[in-house]
Amino acid sequence: QVQLQESGPGLVKPSQTLSLTCAVSGSSITTSYYSWSWIRQPPGKELEWVGVIAYDGSTYYNPSLKSRTSISRDTSKNQFYLQLKSVTPGGTAVYCCARTGDLRVGSVKKDEYGYWGQGTQVTVSS
């Protein structure tokens, strides 16, 4: 059974770096051609795609966040990570990690993702 679990601090101060972990079980993050995404949903708003790391380690980011975003992975732990620098209160959202069967860049269509984590609330506030 494939499971994804997000973890990280629930509160981040403005201008700091938001760091989240997605721990994956039941599926290897290096298996062709799965891709592993970060998606967020601010309160009262629609889903926003943040970025993706593919099975081969290649990464793609939302152009509006690209300058501040980094997605990396640790294959030995079967985990991937999100770092979002210089956060603002606009970064307050539920952050989710999810898997697609192939590379999907920019998608926020829930049915394109076979597996989701439960999501973690991150609040950006001083």
Side-chain angles (χ1 to χ4, degrees):
Q1 182 180 0
V2 179
Q3 292 185 324
L4 292 83
Q5 180 66 58
E6 305 90 348
S7 62
L11 180 64
V12 182
K13 293 183 178 181
S15 80
Q16 292 188 341
T17 297
L18 180 163
S19 297
L20 296 175
T21 297
C22 182
V24 180
S25 59
S27 177
S28 171
I29 62 174
T30 61
T31 298
S32 305
Y33 295 94
Y34 295 142
S35 290
W36 307 88
S37 295
W38 286 101
I39 298 161
R40 68 182 184 179
Q41 187 165 29
K45 297 184 178 180
E46 296 186 350
L47 292 173
E48 179 180 30
W49 181 78
V50 177
V52 62
I53 185 165
Y55 71 98
D56 61 357
S58 56
T59 54
Y60 304 84
Y61 301 113
N62 184 325
S64 69
L65 301 171
K66 184 177 182 179
S67 64
R68 300 189 292 118
T69 307
S70 177
I71 296 176
S72 59
R73 66 181 184 175
D74 186 331
T75 57
S76 67
K77 295 181 178 180
N78 211 40
Q79 295 178 347
F80 65 104
Y81 311 101
L82 171 67
Q83 283 197 325
L84 182 61
K85 300 178 182 177
S86 304
V87 295
T88 67
T92 295
V94 175
Y95 286 76
C96 297
C97 53
R99 190 193 85 172
T100 52
D102 53 17
L103 182 62
R104 301 294 173 104
V105 177
S107 174
V108 292
K109 297 180 180 178
K110 289 187 176 181
D111 59 2
E112 292 188 356
Y113 293 86
Y115 295 93
W116 291 77
Q118 65 182 16
T120 186
Q121 173 70 47
V122 178
T123 299
V124 180
S125 175
S126 56

